[in-house]
Amino acid sequence: MSNCIFCKIIAGEIPSMKLYEDELVYAFLDIAPINFGHVLVIPKEHHESASTIPEATAGRMMKIGTRLGIALKRALDYDAYNLHLADGKAAGQVVMHAHLHVVPRGVDDDFRWNWRQKQYADGQAADLAEKVMNKFKVSEQE
Ligand code: 5GP
Ligand code: ZN
């Protein structure tokens, strides 16, 4: 994709601090990290949505992401890490080349995900689950 910033990074047209590369994925430091060491793992093939990434590549992204999470803990003394993927603008995706964030975390790092917890009314969860499962079955044939 000629106008994609992450495709340009993979091609070496824009500099990046590369941590890992193989035939399927590329991993580099996020330019504006939540915590220092924050990594992005991306498919070499351009995909706007994670949903179209082939299974082998998606699996590799997860494997490399967790290996880098462990390396971040050991190398930089972090306690844990978050994996995060925003799929779509409303979910917070800004760069439209799918990417997996690996965010190293410390117990006292003063960063909180803005996570809320709603409550289902009686019967609402069952109705909702049925609707989703019907569409999930359809998506298997796509
Ligand atoms: P999103 O909000 O789309 O999930 O995340 C995009 C991420 O890409 C952001 O965390 C942002 O800091 C990072 N980013 C955007 N442009 C560049 C760039 O040119 N180089 C690097 N290394 N990271 C970038
Ligand atoms: Zn791209």
Side-chain angles (χ1 to χ4, degrees):
M1 250 253 176
S2 58
N3 219 13
C4 170
I5 194 168
F6 284 178
C7 283
K8 286 183 178 160
I9 283 177
I10 293 163
E13 293 163 20
I14 292 177
S16 69
M17 192 55 65
K18 180 171 86 174
L19 295 181
Y20 177 82
E21 179 178 14
D22 63 26
E23 78 283 13
L24 297 177
V25 305
Y26 187 97
F28 58 108
L29 291 182
D30 193 300
I31 203 165
I34 289 176
N35 281 322
F36 295 117
H38 179 164
V39 177
L40 300 174
V41 184
I42 62 178
K44 280 193 161 172
E45 216 172 71
H46 180 88
H47 290 270
E48 179 170 327
S49 168
S51 64
T52 59
I53 299 173
E55 197 166 333
T57 306
R60 186 73 58 85
M61 287 171 67
M62 179 63 81
K63 196 70 202 163
I64 295 304
T66 53
R67 278 183 61 195
L68 285 168
I70 291 168
L72 287 164
K73 283 172 41 172
R74 290 180 179 165
L76 304 176
D77 255 352
Y78 283 107
D79 302 301
Y81 57 91
N82 287 106
L83 297 181
H84 171 77
L85 191 152
D87 202 307
K89 287 197 171 79
Q93 185 176 5
V94 174
V95 177
M96 302 317 273
H97 179 131
H99 48 280
L100 181 65
H101 293 259
V102 185
V103 183
R105 301 298 308 276
V107 274
D108 295 320
D109 69 3
D110 260 347
F111 177 71
R112 295 280 165 271
W113 299 102
N114 196 7
W115 196 278
R116 69 176 176 198
Q117 296 193 291
K118 294 184 173 185
Q119 290 214 314
Y120 289 107
D122 280 353
Q124 190 183 0
D127 288 351
L128 183 152
E130 193 187 341
K131 279 187 191 150
V132 174
M133 291 311 291
N134 286 338
K135 293 295 181 194
F136 184 67
K137 281 178 207 142
V138 172
S139 74
E140 202 177 17
Q141 285 124 44
E142 287 172 352

